Amino acid sequence: MSLTNATPLEVAQAARVGSRRLAVLSTPERNAALTAIHGALVSAKDEVLAANKKDLEDADKAAAGGALSQSLVKRLDLGKPGKYEDMLQGILDVRDLEDPINKVTARTLLDDNLTLSRVTCPIGVLLIIFEARPEVIANISALAIKSGNAAILKGGRESSHSFAAIASVISKALTSTAVPSDCLQLVQTHDVIADLLKQDTYIDLCIPRGGNKLVRYVKDSTSIPVLGHADGICTTYLCADYPADKATKIIVDAKVSYPAGCNALEQLLVDEAALTTTLPVIAEALLQKGVSLRCDPTSLAALQGKLDPHSATLLQPASETDFDTEFLDLILAIKAVPSLDEAITHINTHASHHTDAILTLNAPTANAFLAAIDSSSVYWNTSTRMADGQRYGFGTEVGISTNKIHSRGPVGLEGLTIYKWTIVGDAQVSADYGAGGKQWKHQVLPVLDDEFVAQNEEEREVLRMFRAT
Amino acid sequence: MSLTNATPLEVAQAARVGSRRLAVLSTPERNAALTAIHGALVSAKDEVLAANKKDLEDADKAAAGGALSQSLVKRLDLGKPGKYEDMLQGILDVRDLEDPINKVTARTLLDDNLTLSRVTCPIGVLLIIFEARPEVIANISALAIKSGNAAILKGGRESSHSFAAIASVISKALTSTAVPSDCLQLVQTHDVIADLLKQDTYIDLCIPRGGNKLVRYVKDSTSIPVLGHADGICTTYLCADYPADKATKIIVDAKVSYPAGCNALEQLLVDEAALTTTLPVIAEALLQKGVSLRCDPTSLAALQGKLDPHSATLLQPASETDFDTEFLDLILAIKAVPSLDEAITHINTHASHHTDAILTLNAPTANAFLAAIDSSSVYWNTSTRMADGQRYGFGTEVGISTNKIHSRGPVGLEGLTIYKWTIVGDAQVSADYGAGGKQWKHQVLPVLDDEFVAQNEEEREVLRMFRAT
């Protein structure tokens, strides 16, 4: 990891060269690097927190002047009880996950002594652009090394001291490992993003971690594939048959437990038959939590006069744009829908293909919803807030993707891999087969759950000698 | 399928709406559509071939004037013995492949009565841009419908009559099926590609099928993900221990069996120890097939004076650019390399990450090569011409991808799918878990090889009523 004044082109080229060497390291070699990073960050806690304090002081001043939000200041703070330890534990958690590369995922006998295999491998070079949250450096470094990918990290201005301190610690730690230091490139120079986004010859995948503005800018500015999501407009469709107590529990969790999250609920669609039965119960609970309800005329009419007058000001008519907005706040748009079909069409048209849920006791209705909704996560009788790599059991995530290719939903280590096809043969050639020639066997061979291509010691020695230039 | 004067925006929007309905059709409904298309094309053979004859007459005139190559004229001809029948058989082959969508590929018990599943689904709307080869319309239509994707097809000028005839037949055939006709959009208006490439709101994936120029233009002109490859610079590294007869068989197949193919060999790297032993045998065989050998100084010196004088003019010094060129012709660049490391580095730097091979009897050397080469297909002791969906047992392919994400190598039906995550719960919410709350079970559940989400009749009835707008 380097903090030099290298140009974006040099940074990207160095990462590419490093990536070729990282890709052929063994599982123990990559895991040992994570152990080393963990150990170094344990030892350097005081040093890192001192740097973080400088960022916090700068941020406090900026917040006092109105230039930064208090929630951003909070996200910067690595000194909160348990936060540094969580970051450290995250590195070990990633280390202890199954190796995502060199895994055989398919095998076909094309002919006698002619075997096709599909083997997972790293993507190559990742560009991660993020805003606050200095602990992301450690997370992403761990994920990148574990999956055999080089990473270029571009941090935000607000966390620059923390970023430099953590980077320096990781950099020193890597020198004692088999991982080439060029595999992690730290970029902190200002105004360098545009040039990094042009390095499509050397960078394979870009992952922006930040707000809607950052993601849109990145998507519009590069021909490098971008993994992530711009908007998190999540919806829930409430059917009339679903019990009010369960519905209330789910809706309150989805809206209130972390309104700034991309998986927070932004729209509630209500079956017309539930407008005067279940909806008032849910609405009352939301109003008591301080949630503003922006209702279409039908749902507004159903609720008016039915709620505690103290919270009446929070009951508001919705504007058209409310059904295309990610509020990230204690605001919920509510719309009455006459049928499942209209709910599906509304969601496929107005939601952001992130996470959508249906609440019903009717299996045919629910299964039709699960089939027809075109989103990365679709739920039946649970909260949209479940959309999270840790909750899905991935250990950690690099983000949530609403892309339609490669990786969709919470993206864990598997999303940082691709595969290559290998054939091992004995001088069979294409012209041997086809009209008048030999027939393909195309026999699908069984693959074990944990089948890996692992080099023996002699092969590892050959690979150790390999130095890509 | 429509041949209207709709704008690119209207075409893309109609395909998107159609895609939502196609995505929820059952396997038998999609298969029945392929049967109908097959039957209609059987009946309409004379009509289609008559239209194809017009294209051929136009092309012959253009070729006589030098505006078209004879090889392109040949690719246009649907009347060649067996070609129309191959096209028809291809539709049935695709129909009879396993359904690629609604397949459960992972399942995790998050907690009691809270199950996460990963289910394959269509990508959505494909944009396929192709040059000659009118039979591609039938192939791609079959692949799109089978995988539940809508497709916009933009054909080349040279095959316009064939294209219109086949499209009209398919369009009529679909009216008797459950597949909405908007799911296949035929675009033949000139100069409309640029506007289609702007429809990133409605089009999810673009697949250009044509030469390097077309692919580069498409990649540079759209923010829609592009699947494919611009160059096919395939290499083979010959080690000194590999028998000359087998090496010759492999290299001749790779270079000569179809030089215009993207999987044809363009560069031969030769271990220095093989320069005076194996290389002359291979070179003689290639020269007799009319292959020009463009040699670096070391390999040129090794060959000079050793070959049949009749073919001496085909032995030429290589220029620097020869090692970055896709010849698509009877030309082979040859370079001596002192070590496996240099072979790997040369290939990772100069080849196009398509298909590369090593010829050796030494397992550690071969396995190191397979691990270190960053290409979509990497072979040991076989010809690069093996890189093909039909040869890999995919039934057919939509192309070969050198992308580093989503799908790599020959792309079959699986490459036209993505997945969604579903959770079925019973009112568990995110706030139930974590510090002080419930623990996640994260128990990986077994998934059968052929486990599909299939709707029962009642659910299918709900889906049949669903009309996305």
Side-chain angles (χ1 to χ4, degrees), chain A residues 20 123 246 341 370 373-374 378 382 391 404 406 408 420-421 423 426 428 430 442 459 465, chain B residues 20 123 246 253 341 367 370 373-374 378 380 382 391 404 406 408 420-421 426 428 442 465:
Chain A
R20 306 252 194 245
I123 289 175
K246 290 186 171 183
D341 294 356
L370 294 177
I373 292 295
D374 179 21
V378 194
T382 188
R391 290 172 189 154
K404 296 298 284 285
H406 190 63
R408 203 178 187 203
K420 61 172 82 164
W421 297 94
I423 298 181
D426 181 16
Q428 302 93 330
S430 67
H442 287 156
E459 291 160 10
M465 285 160 32
Chain B
R20 305 252 195 246
I123 289 175
K246 289 186 173 184
D253 182 87
D341 294 356
N367 285 324
L370 293 178
I373 292 295
D374 180 21
V378 194
W380 178 12
T382 188
R391 290 172 189 153
K404 297 298 284 287
H406 189 64
R408 204 178 185 204
K420 61 173 84 166
W421 297 95
D426 181 16
Q428 302 91 331
H442 287 158
M465 284 161 34

